[in-house]
Amino acid sequence: VPTVAYGGPSVNPDEPSPASSKITESNVILEFLADLYPNSGLLPKDPVSRSKVRLFLDANSKSVEEPLYAFLGGVGSYENVLKGIEVIQGLLEEDAGFAVGVHYTIADTSISPHIARLRIITETDAGRFPAGMGLKLGEELKGPKFAKFTKYAD
């Protein structure tokens, strides 16, 4: 579980001070960084767009991350991965270029590692799932049903 130490005395980063705050979980850290740097655009200023980013984070965590890791570990189906990708695809705006709108946000950051893992799985068939299932997942993702997600991921 990723952790960021914030505040407290200046010490070696490998040995954070007990006086610092420990912030854990990837999505919490992403929102924390967006709050630290409000002018970065990582979290939009518009409340509707902010809520879309948070919805994307939640959908990515529940609908992609969980089934992807289950599939990778050999205890989940590739069909569940595809269902999760359908959920994400439904949140993507046409020709927006990014997860939410026309600017890179923490929504894009949150899904990037899963897209990278998907590429490895679908190109190398590496995982604890039955042989050939990663390649089969890759073939499904190349189909027109997932064109919007594939365009975003590329």
Side-chain angles (χ1 to χ4, degrees), residues 96-108:
F98 296 97
V100 177
V102 296
H103 299 288
Y104 186 88
T105 67
I106 61 175
D108 301 290

Side-chain angles (χ1 to χ4, degrees), residues 102-154:
V102 296
H103 299 288
Y104 186 88
T105 67
I106 61 175
D108 301 290
T109 306
S110 74
I111 200 166
S112 293
H114 306 123
I115 290 172
R117 283 182 187 88
L118 268 172
R119 283 205 175 107
I120 292 168
I121 291 167
T122 60
E123 292 173 7
T124 67
D125 205 35
R128 292 189 180 142
F129 44 79
M133 294 307 288
L135 299 175
K136 185 175 180 180
L137 174 61
E139 289 305 311
E140 293 268 1
L141 289 173
K142 290 177 187 172
K145 182 176 183 178
F146 297 101
K148 190 176 180 184
F149 175 81
T150 301
K151 181 178 178 183
Y152 166 72
D154 287 343

Side-chain angles (χ1 to χ4, degrees), residues 3-23 32-33 36-37:
T3 303
V4 170
Y6 181 76
S10 181
V11 295
N12 181 337
D14 294 332
E15 298 174 16
S17 165
S20 65
S21 296
K22 310 313 182 276
I23 299 146
F32 174 73
L33 292 172
L36 275 180
Y37 302 98

